[in-house]
Amino acid sequence: MELKQVSDNCFAVLNEKNRVCDANSGLINRAGGVVIDTQSDLAHARQMIEMFGKVWSAMPQRVINTHEDADHVWGNQLFEGAEIIAHQSIPERMKHVADPKESQKLLHGVGHFLSRLIIKALHPGIVAAGRQLLEDYNFDGIELALPTTLFDTRYELNLDGTEVHLIYVGPCHQVGDTIIHVPKERVVFAGDVLFRQCTPMGWTGSYEKWFQCLDLIIELDPEVIVAGHGPLCGIEGPIEMKAYLEYVRDESKKSFEEGLSSLNAAKRIEFGPYAEWRAPARLYMNVERAYREFRGEPPDAPWNMAATFDAIYEVAKARGIKVEY
Ligand SMILES: [Zn+2]
């Protein structure tokens, strides 16, 4: 992890490995400070606090969660008594998608030799993902700390004259997707609406909505964007990600019309210039999302996690690349 100052009062803590769970956090260091997203486990959250602690005068009393995924909310509990601000959908969604018990059980099982053999026979993708997570994460001790201040479409903070705009843009990657714009400093904290130099994973929402949101970020004309995952960027970040999603949707359409399954399509579609991004086999999820749209399924159609991680595993194996999530 590294701390970067991105403007006069805005900072980021970046997770350089840029694999699943390696989320970034932000800090707007005005009027007592606002922390944006709180990391995937308590050790990473503590490290983030230590890094931001070099620039803030005290623990901030405000936290913003950009969406409901575990890797952005599991350090919330360390900000005791803080106001946690998020979209109104997030408390209920967190209980479903960020319940720490399942992940705790999974890592304990994968860490245990016999359980690992049993799980592997059924779900090689779950074992591979679990082993990767064990390299960096320990989900023990995590308890959900739910948002306390909720908003609908927009929420504004005034931090000693510096305006902060929370803009609801979901669902494109997840139900609660929110971007945070600091106009005076030309900074956007994008959450997982933006993945940088790693293959995007989207759970709930549509391609159209995602394109609209990336266009909105470009229109805001920020100088610096803090992505949910990956290094800092300017507007080339959303431009490149939109091009990736357009490419995948177009290629998926061709495969869909030929009658290929989404898994076989993901084994065949060229990675093109995106082969260098982390975890290219996560392409499967973007193909599957496109297929769901072609079949007229709703944007909140549920995912079978085990099947999804197995499919990514299969795509990587079929293409002879490293299995990475
Ligand atoms: Zn994330």
Side-chain angles (χ1 to χ4, degrees):
M1 279 168 115
E2 61 172 342
L3 173 71
K4 288 229 166 145
Q5 182 163 11
V6 302
S7 67
D8 285 351
N9 296 291
C10 294
F11 295 81
V13 159
L14 306 169
N15 265 304
E16 304 96 327
K17 275 198 180 178
N18 206 4
R19 304 187 296 183
V20 73
C21 276
D22 295 331
N24 297 327
S25 288
L27 169 69
I28 308 166
N29 200 23
R30 292 276 293 179
V34 180
V35 166
I36 298 160
D37 289 343
T38 59
Q39 299 290 314
S40 293
D41 69 5
L42 299 181
H44 284 76
R46 288 193 182 101
Q47 203 183 340
M48 177 260 292
I49 287 168
E50 194 187 309
M51 288 183 157
F52 282 150
K54 291 178 184 146
V55 294
W56 71 37
S57 47
M59 276 287 271
Q61 291 304 302
R62 283 197 186 106
V63 169
I64 298 171
N65 289 140
T66 58
H67 62 290
E68 63 267 39
D69 280 344
D71 52 328
H72 301 258
V73 304
W74 273 354
N76 282 4
Q77 73 196 70
L78 297 183
F79 293 85
E80 225 186 314
E83 176 187 22
I84 304 177
I85 308 167
H87 182 255
Q88 62 190 16
S89 63
I90 289 188
E92 274 312 305
R93 288 285 301 165
M94 269 171 72
K95 291 180 203 163
H96 292 291
V97 302
D99 180 353
K101 286 185 210 82
E102 281 305 306
S103 301
Q104 286 159 353
K105 261 194 275 175
L106 170 73
L107 286 207
H108 290 155
V110 169
H112 186 265
F113 180 69
L114 262 184
S115 319
R116 188 163 71 222
L117 284 184
I118 296 163
I119 307 170
K120 186 159 187 180
L122 297 168
H123 293 297
I126 289 286
V127 171
R131 292 183 92 164
Q132 178 187 307
L133 287 170
L134 273 175
E135 290 174 22
D136 298 301
Y137 293 100
N138 179 341
F139 300 133
D140 291 349
I142 295 166
E143 286 167 18
L144 284 188
L146 299 176
T148 50
T149 299
L150 306 178
F151 70 96
D152 182 3
T153 54
R154 263 182 97 91
Y155 190 81
E156 297 194 359
L157 291 169
N158 189 315
L159 307 176
D160 286 346
T162 298
E163 282 186 19
V164 177
H165 301 165
L166 285 71
I167 308 167
Y168 176 61
V169 293
C172 55
H173 150 275
Q174 226 357 331
V175 175
D177 291 324
T178 298
I179 61 170
I180 294 103
H181 182 214
V182 189
K184 200 172 167 181
E185 309 210 358
R186 296 186 63 203
V187 174
V188 167
F189 296 92
D192 283 5
V193 163
L194 184 65
F195 285 70
R196 184 72 182 140
Q197 290 173 16
C198 59
T199 306
M201 302 171 94
W203 302 100
T204 311
S206 66
Y207 270 83
E208 273 319 312
K209 194 85 189 170
W210 210 333
F211 293 150
Q212 284 168 21
C213 174
L214 292 167
D215 284 340
L216 171 67
I217 295 175
I218 296 163
E219 275 165 36
L220 293 173
D221 192 29
E223 207 163 274
V224 185
I225 306 170
V226 181
H229 296 260
L232 299 174
C233 59
I235 58 166
E236 74 282 3
I239 289 171
E240 280 178 30
M241 202 177 116
K242 189 177 172 194
Y244 169 84
L245 291 174
E246 282 171 339
Y247 167 73
V248 172
R249 189 174 64 167
D250 290 350
E251 291 299 307
S252 300
K253 185 83 183 170
K254 290 180 206 159
S255 299
F256 183 76
E257 280 164 3
E258 280 178 46
L260 279 184
S261 68
S262 58
L263 178 59
N264 284 333
K267 288 178 184 172
R268 196 184 68 173
I269 293 170
E270 293 290 334
F271 290 135
Y274 312 106
E276 299 303 309
W277 287 6
R278 294 308 296 255
R282 295 195 315 216
L283 165 71
Y284 165 76
M285 289 186 68
N286 298 311
V287 177
E288 172 60 20
R289 264 173 72 112
Y291 269 53
R292 289 168 174 216
E293 289 187 14
F294 302 149
R295 292 192 294 253
E297 291 171 20
D300 61 350
W303 292 82
N304 177 326
M305 282 301 228
T308 304
F309 280 72
D310 286 351
I312 294 170
Y313 178 91
E314 254 195 74
V315 169
K317 286 287 179 195
R319 304 184 72 133
I321 59 171
K322 194 175 157 205
V323 177
E324 186 173 67
Y325 293 91

